[in-house]
């Protein structure tokens, strides 16, 4: 796995060229417009206080439930953050996206597909269930699939495997990452469901006979500390053909970006995924820590943090914010209307007002 500078032009570089050719006053107006818009969405949902932080991992219940941050970053590196965008929380299931990409790079598409499918499960994220025909977990975004993917992470020792995972996270985030060891210990001491899933997969020959080691790796990847700003950067990196728009470093080989994004679109939001694809129409992943990371392909990334979860385990405010932003900005990937998306791509088109507000 060579990780050098990208040799392809990225969407961010293309946009940066168009921005450079733009009247600076018009550009400044657009930057201000986006900022005002993000502030308005934050205000709209600040009072939404339904749901509770996850508590099945006891340490997750210790967070400040009303923290709320929204961060947007374009593929050419223009950022907007409002609210608690610097507050750290554990990445949890959003790690599944990054480690899936790592496994694809290490083993290639076919070998990964032998172990983990790409079919939405329609089940809870922690269901103890495998595809009956193939014995594979349904997809890499449910716990079973993610544990099978963690088993595929190469390395001679447990420490080597964890170091590789953390190195991949560093490429997305542009800075070294740390594990929240309290969250890690809390999940390790309560994670019997994941243990059951892992032993079921061992019995079917889906994972190797090193269950404790693989579960430790999985729990460690879930316990990595991130902020809403970090999530926006992960999203912007995936939106930018796998190249981190702030550092220029390749976080994911370009050929695997589409695999990661299509599975995120169809399976990323637990058993809300179908409705999410319908309403929001963006590849995304949520975590029980309260984060949502969404990808606006070619355009940028969105990170929301608000730890009160709805009954499916998604951040309640996060879902509301993403639904509105998709609609207001017209960025549903299948929406054919003229929108902020068109304006974004063609820089010289006026930015339309957010729809319906
Ligand atoms: N570490 C958590 C678990 O395995 C991740 C779940 C999630 O964020 N949905 O239960």
């Amino acid at each position: 796995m060579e990780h050098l500078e990208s040799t392809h032009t990225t969407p961010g570089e293309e946009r940066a060229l168009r921005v450079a050719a733009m009247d600076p006053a018009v550009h400044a107006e657009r930057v201000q417009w986006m900022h005002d818009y993000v502030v308005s969405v934050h205000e709209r949902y600040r009072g939404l206080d339904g749901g509770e932080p996850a508590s099945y991992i006891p340490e997750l219940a210790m967070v400040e439930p009303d923290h709320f941050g929204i961060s947007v970053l374009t593929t050419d590196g223009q950022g907007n953050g409002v609210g608690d965008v610097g507050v750290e929380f554990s990445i949890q299931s959003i790690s599944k996206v990054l480690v899936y990409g790592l496994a694809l790079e290490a083993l290639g598409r076919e070998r990964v597909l032998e172990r983990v499918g790409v079919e939405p499960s329609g089940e809870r994220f922690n269901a103890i269930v495998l595809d009956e025909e193939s014995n594979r977990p349904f997809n890499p975004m449910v716990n079973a699939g993610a544990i099978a993917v963690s088993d595929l992470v190469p390395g001679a020792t447990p420490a080597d495997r964890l170091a590789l995972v953390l190195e991949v996270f560093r490429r997305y985030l542009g800075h070294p990452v740390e594990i929240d060891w309290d969250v890690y210990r809390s999940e390790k001491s309560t994670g019997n469901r994941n243990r059951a899933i892992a032993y079921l997969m061992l019995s079917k020959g889906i994972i190797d006979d090193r269950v404790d080691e693989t579960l430790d790796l999985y729990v460690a990847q879930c316990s990595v500390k991130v902020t809403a700003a970090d999530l926006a950067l992960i999203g912007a990196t995936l939106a930018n053909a796998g190249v981190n728009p702030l550092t220029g470093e390749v976080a994911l080989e370009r050929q695997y970006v589409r695999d990661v994004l299509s599975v995120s679109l169809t399976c990323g939001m637990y058993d809300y995924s179908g409705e999410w694809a319908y309403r929001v129409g963006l590849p995304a992943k949520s975590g029980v820590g309260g984060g949502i990371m969404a990808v606006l392909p070619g355009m940028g990334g969105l990170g929301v943090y608000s730890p009160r979860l709805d009954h499916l385990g998604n951040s309640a405010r996060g879902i509301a914010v993403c639904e509105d932003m998709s609609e207001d900005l017209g960025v549903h990937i299948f929406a054919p209307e003229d929108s902020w998306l068109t304006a974004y791509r063609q820089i010289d088109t006026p930015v339309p007002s957010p729809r319906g507000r």
Side-chain angles (χ1 to χ4, degrees):
M1 278 191 278
E2 282 272 290
H3 280 271
L4 305 168
E5 302 283 300
S6 170
T7 49
H8 292 89
T9 312
T10 67
E13 284 162 352
E14 282 165 20
R15 182 176 146 83
L17 286 176
R18 291 198 297 272
V19 168
M22 223 179 150
D23 177 344
V26 175
H27 183 242
E29 196 184 310
R30 287 190 179 192
V31 171
Q32 185 63 40
W33 180 89
M34 191 62 192
H35 178 75
D36 294 347
Y37 173 68
V38 179
V39 169
S40 74
V41 178
H42 191 270
E43 274 169 12
R44 201 180 298 161
Y45 290 113
R46 217 174 26 202
L48 187 75
D49 60 1
E52 291 301 329
S55 56
Y56 75 97
I57 299 172
E59 192 65 24
L60 294 184
M62 312 296 279
V63 296
E64 163 54 62
D66 292 322
H67 273 153
F68 183 25
I70 306 176
S71 180
V72 182
L73 183 71
T74 61
T75 46
D76 61 335
Q78 209 171 84
N80 265 293
V82 178
D84 302 308
V85 289
V87 171
E88 290 186 323
F89 55 93
S90 54
I91 188 168
Q92 296 300 337
S93 280
I94 302 166
S95 66
K96 294 168 179 171
V97 175
L98 283 56
V99 182
Y100 184 50
L102 187 173
L104 287 165
E105 287 185 335
L107 297 168
R109 197 173 275 152
E110 293 315 316
R111 282 189 57 203
V112 175
L113 273 174
E114 281 168 17
R115 299 290 184 95
V116 186
V118 289
E119 205 60 58
S121 70
E123 307 267 356
R124 306 293 297 210
F125 67 87
N126 56 4
I128 306 176
V129 57
L130 302 175
D131 180 341
E132 273 182 14
E133 267 179 41
S134 65
N135 286 329
R136 294 174 308 175
F138 280 96
N139 67 69
M141 302 298 154
V142 291
N143 286 10
I147 293 165
V149 167
S150 299
D151 184 54
L152 297 177
V153 171
T157 66
D160 287 348
R161 296 169 75 207
L162 178 57
L164 179 58
V165 167
L166 298 183
E167 165 58 14
V168 167
F169 282 37
R170 186 199 61 74
R171 289 181 200 139
Y172 283 92
L173 269 55
H175 59 77
V177 296
E178 283 175 19
I179 291 171
D180 183 328
W181 293 107
D182 291 332
V183 171
Y184 172 87
R185 279 187 290 271
S186 185
E187 178 162 1
K188 267 201 73 173
S189 61
T190 53
N192 288 327
R193 229 189 137 82
N194 285 336
R195 190 170 302 279
I197 293 171
Y199 276 104
L200 178 62
M201 292 196 292
L202 176 63
S203 77
K204 304 281 186 188
I206 293 290
I207 61 172
D208 288 350
D209 192 1
R210 50 174 179 183
V211 168
D212 283 330
E213 184 185 325
T214 291
L215 283 173
D216 283 356
L217 179 59
Y218 169 75
V219 173
Q221 79 184 49
C222 289
S223 305
V224 165
K225 293 192 260 187
V226 288
T227 65
D230 290 332
L231 296 185
L233 181 50
I234 294 172
T237 299
L238 290 168
N240 195 37
V243 179
N244 180 317
L246 299 184
T247 65
E249 202 172 0
V250 176
L252 175 64
E253 281 174 40
R254 197 180 180 102
Q255 60 172 319
Y256 295 119
V257 170
R258 68 174 220 206
D259 304 51
V260 168
L261 292 187
S262 47
V263 179
S264 303
L265 175 68
T266 53
C267 310
M269 302 298 288
Y270 313 135
D271 36 347
Y272 187 69
S273 297
E275 196 150 341
W276 171 274
Y278 179 84
R279 287 179 187 277
V280 181
L282 295 172
K285 186 75 202 82
S286 59
V288 289
I292 294 184
M293 179 280 298
V295 182
L296 290 66
M299 294 180 282
L302 171 61
V304 186
Y305 173 53
S306 172
R308 292 186 187 274
L309 307 182
D310 64 18
H311 68 290
L312 296 173
N314 291 313
S315 167
R317 279 172 174 155
I319 294 274
V321 165
C322 293
E323 286 189 1
D324 278 20
M325 286 184 86
S326 172
E327 176 68 16
D328 294 346
L329 301 175
V331 291
H332 190 301
I333 57 173
F334 302 124
E337 304 90 349
D338 275 355
S339 65
W340 186 78
L341 166 62
T342 315
Y344 182 95
R345 288 206 173 122
Q346 299 164 358
I347 264 334
D348 46 359
T349 320
V351 178
S353 303
R355 275 181 272 158
R357 306 276 164 204

